[in-house]
Amino acid sequence: MSDLIMGIETSCDETAAAIVEDGKKIISNVVASQISIHQKYGGVVPEIASRKHMEYIIPVIDRALDESEKKLSDLSAIAVTYGPGLIGSLLVGLSVAKAMAYAQNIPLIGINHLEAHIYANLLEHNEIKPPFVCLVVSGGHTSLVYIRHFGEYKLLGQTKDDAAGEVFDKIAKVLDLGYPGGPITEKLANEGDPYSIKFPRPILNDKSYDFSFSGLKTSVIYHIKELKKENKNVPVRDILASFQQAVIDVLAGKTIEAALKFKTKQIILAGGVAANSALRSELKKKANLLGIKVFYPSTFLCTDNAAMVASVGYYKLKENIKSSFSLDAVSRLPLARKN
Ligand code: KG4
Ligand code: ZN
């Protein structure tokens, strides 16, 4: 018999519910984005986000059920993101998930949002087999992880300051390009020269797998301010292309180094920034030369969604990993600790 898992995701500014069969087949996948609401503030306002989740969550779940043509009683379990994320937002999804699991008398499975981003890849790629190296790059996280077996994560390095997506968002904000900054930066960068301005490649050459993007961010912002101060033209496309190239050089360089060190033949990209086509193609080009395959999810599965949450839920259920109803939301939940 197949297992239908409902996934629920409310960790940031997307209210999402999905139904996935046997960890692989997406039956329905509904995402209500709050982007247009937060846009005027230039970023996510946590208090507004949690209120909007309260408003959206039940209609989103209803729609996920309607589109699936399944009933609540068909579900085998409810998987829900319990961290990391905005605490008030997480609590909305978690509370509804608990109520549903309790009422249906089915397991509740708490999911780490970062693990869900990694599993987004499994919804589409059957060939992925550990061991592999995974680069998780989102609005809140930049982590390089070695995965020997599914569920066993060795954190190789992470950002010491800003996350990769966060820097895209902050630079777009300085240039008045709106929120989120990633997609618009990618679009404009495509029309610019990535080697026209030499921005720093932070800690690319040190031996660690850690990242640091705040120096790059400051350098780009300073460059823009200087041009404005001198009343010079601001070549937005060239600036964005050069900035994006600097980020990609660091992300791709360290990821390839890790794959070589751990002798893996597969690299997995995950998280919102994995939607960036320049990052995808550069990493693929470099890795393929070394006989390493690169996988990433379709764009709609890179950014926050609940299908990826349901997918992890299925594999946890198979291992009989369930959560108690006292499960709490955890704002800073690591995927793995350095060891
Ligand atoms: O995974 P996600 O939806 O949310 C978090 O878990 O943080 O990632 C959102 C982040 C934002 O910072 C957004 O600017 C970035 O992903 N992003 C991109 C692209 N699409 C989204 N960054 C670069 N290029 C893109 N095409
Ligand atoms: Zn995310």
Side-chain angles (χ1 to χ4, degrees):
M1 239 218 3
S2 66
D3 276 308
L4 284 176
I5 312 287
M6 173 174 280
I8 295 179
E9 158 64 46
T10 61
S11 68
C12 189
D13 58 346
E14 256 94 35
T15 316
I19 295 176
V20 172
E21 187 176 333
D22 292 342
K24 289 264 177 219
K25 188 170 172 207
I26 300 176
I27 308 290
S28 64
N29 187 21
V30 179
V31 180
S33 174
Q34 302 179 10
I35 284 177
S36 59
I37 293 155
H38 298 284
Q39 226 152 22
K40 59 174 170 289
Y41 305 103
V44 179
V45 183
E47 189 60 29
I48 296 177
S50 47
R51 283 164 198 248
K52 287 290 157 192
H53 284 307
M54 300 248 287
E55 203 179 312
Y56 294 169
I57 189 72
I58 301 297
V60 164
I61 289 172
D62 278 346
R63 188 142 148 222
L65 278 167
D66 282 353
E67 288 182 9
S68 72
E69 296 179 358
K70 305 283 181 195
K71 301 184 295 298
L72 267 178
S73 57
D74 295 327
L75 300 176
S76 307
I78 310 278
V80 59
T81 304
Y82 76 103
L86 303 170
I87 203 81
S89 294
L90 288 163
L91 278 171
V92 176
L94 185 56
S95 309
V96 172
K98 281 182 186 174
M100 287 173 66
Y102 187 78
Q104 291 301 313
N105 195 21
I106 53 177
L108 171 79
I109 308 172
I111 304 294
N112 182 310
H113 182 74
L114 302 176
E115 192 171 16
H117 272 303
I118 297 171
Y119 274 68
N121 281 282
L122 299 192
L123 287 163
E124 297 183 311
H125 306 297
N126 287 324
E127 320 88 284
I128 294 177
K129 294 251 157 11
F132 57 80
V133 164
C134 181
L135 175 68
V136 188
V137 265
S138 71
H141 299 272
T142 304
S143 308
L144 197 52
V145 185
Y146 173 64
I147 294 154
R148 197 189 319 269
H149 305 287
F150 282 117
E152 197 186 308
Y153 304 97
K154 180 183 173 72
L155 181 65
L156 304 177
Q158 59 190 330
T159 184
K160 294 176 171 183
D161 37 59
D162 293 1
E166 192 179 352
V167 188
F168 276 88
D169 296 339
K170 285 182 177 165
I171 289 183
K173 190 173 177 183
V174 169
L175 289 167
D176 284 327
L177 296 173
Y179 172 84
I184 181 74
T185 299
E186 174 177 353
K187 186 165 169 279
L188 296 175
N190 259 338
E191 298 158 14
D193 175 359
Y195 298 102
S196 54
I197 306 153
K198 186 128 190 55
F199 290 126
R201 269 71 174 151
I203 60 173
L204 176 58
N205 295 319
D206 86 350
K207 290 253 174 298
S208 83
Y209 296 111
D210 285 332
F211 302 91
S212 164
F213 292 110
S214 78
L216 169 63
K217 176 189 70 186
T218 308
S219 172
V220 177
I221 294 174
Y222 187 75
H223 184 80
I224 297 166
K225 285 198 171 146
E226 281 297 296
L227 289 172
K228 285 188 177 162
K229 207 162 82 190
E230 294 166 21
N231 276 327
K232 288 189 179 153
N233 164 48
V234 178
V236 172
R237 288 169 173 76
D238 286 345
I239 291 173
L240 292 177
S242 302
F243 151 69
Q244 182 178 271
Q245 190 60 47
V247 174
I248 290 174
D249 282 351
V250 177
L251 292 177
K254 297 225 171 202
T255 306
I256 300 262
E257 279 300 314
L260 289 175
K261 161 102 193 288
F262 288 89
K263 298 188 172 57
T264 63
K265 288 289 165 205
Q266 296 189 333
I267 288 175
I268 275 75
L269 267 180
V273 184
N276 187 283
S277 52
L279 171 63
R280 292 168 174 216
S281 62
E282 181 113 355
L283 190 59
K284 220 170 167 172
K285 198 171 74 194
K286 289 195 164 123
N288 288 356
L289 286 174
L290 299 161
I292 300 168
K293 279 197 88 172
V294 177
F295 298 91
Y296 40 78
S298 297
T299 303
F300 77 102
L301 290 173
C302 283
T303 44
D304 289 350
N305 65 86
M308 63 186 193
V309 177
S311 177
V312 195
Y314 170 77
Y315 294 100
K316 299 250 184 248
L317 185 69
K318 290 286 115 184
E319 288 176 48
N320 212 20
I321 300 172
K322 299 166 192 168
S323 304
S324 96
F325 284 103
S326 62
L327 178 69
D328 216 345
V330 183
S331 165
R332 291 173 173 271
L333 181 66
L335 178 60
R337 295 190 193 281
K338 229 174 196 170
N339 50 20

